[in-house]
Amino acid sequence: MSRASSAPHNRPQLAIVMGVSGSGKSSVAKALAEKMGYQYLDADDFHSDEAKACMAAGTPLTDAQRIPWVHNICAHLNQRAKNEQSCTLAFSGLRRSHRQQLRELPFDVVFLYLDGSKALIAERMNTRNNHFMPTSLLDSQFDSMEESATEHDVVKINIDAELHEVVQNCLQHLRARLSSSTR
């Protein structure tokens, strides 16, 4: 039985929009939050200044550097759950262990994995402004993404479409998930 169908009906929802840098996580998570009446959160806001500087300099983070980041995200989300606030979270979700930590929070959790080709994502990264993550780290992002095919709560969403179509696809999956969790 999936976690959604066994979850109490009063649990807040946590829609985690995951994928490599440049896949559109922030744009999709913001749009979903607006359409669903959820609080939007961006995992990038929980990185230390040192971690952002490291990435901006073209150096990928180590797993050890990611530990306090994930801890900060979980601590913040625990507060949101206590307030029964449903949220969307733009979060890379590169590591299974990080995804598992988020599953253990008091939310009904679903992961929307924005999946696209390296060429498409590189093209998108080259057009954005004022982001600390350089295109040069895209290979390391793809290399770090651990397979999620066996994780029942991860839904792959093809991003080779217009933003509104990607958002609509995500909304359909979220609404289906919500209706199944309230049965």
Side-chain angles (χ1 to χ4, degrees), residues 78-176:
N78 268 317
Q79 275 306 123
R80 295 288 181 163
K82 284 179 185 174
N83 295 330
E84 298 180 1
Q85 175 66 62
S86 292
C87 301
T88 64
L89 174 67
F91 176 74
S92 60
L94 301 177
R95 299 290 195 210
R96 271 186 225 101
S97 64
H98 299 161
R99 297 190 297 263
Q100 186 56 39
Q101 288 177 60
L102 293 173
R103 285 185 183 100
E104 293 169 5
L105 295 170
F107 287 93
D108 182 18
V109 178
V110 64
F111 293 85
L112 301 165
Y113 176 15
L114 303 184
D115 186 39
S117 71
K118 195 180 294 185
L120 173 64
I121 293 171
E123 179 182 318
R124 290 180 179 180
M125 286 180 81
N126 285 327
T127 62
R128 67 184 183 181
N129 296 315
N130 301 321
H131 196 279
F132 63 87
M133 180 70 82
T135 307
S136 63
L137 288 181
L138 188 56
D139 285 336
S140 74
Q141 289 272 295
F142 273 94
D143 292 344
S144 295
M145 179 60 80
E146 293 179 343
E147 183 55 47
S148 62
T150 60
E151 298 171 58
H152 72 281
D153 54 0
V154 177
V155 179
K156 262 192 184 178
I157 306 290
N158 184 341
I159 62 166
D160 191 10
E162 295 294 322
L163 177 61
H164 71 275
E165 295 173 89
V166 174
V167 170
Q168 190 59 39
N169 193 1
C170 289
L171 275 171
Q172 288 173 344
H173 285 286
L174 277 178
R175 288 181 176 141

Side-chain angles (χ1 to χ4, degrees), residues 6-74:
S6 64
H9 299 305
N10 61 349
R11 286 169 62 110
Q13 304 291 312
L14 177 59
I16 300 167
V17 182
M18 64 177 264
V20 300
S21 184
S23 60
K25 297 180 300 290
S26 297
S27 297
V28 171
K30 281 178 191 171
L32 291 174
E34 183 178 306
K35 292 179 182 299
M36 300 291 290
Y38 290 1
Q39 178 66 46
Y40 164 72
L41 301 169
D42 193 320
D44 286 346
D45 294 338
F46 296 89
H47 277 300
S48 67
D49 290 340
E50 294 80 12
K52 287 181 182 179
C54 187
M55 290 182 280
T59 305
L61 296 181
T62 65
D63 285 340
Q65 290 171 305
R66 291 183 180 118
I67 290 171
W69 172 61
V70 175
H71 174 79
N72 290 339
I73 294 166
C74 289

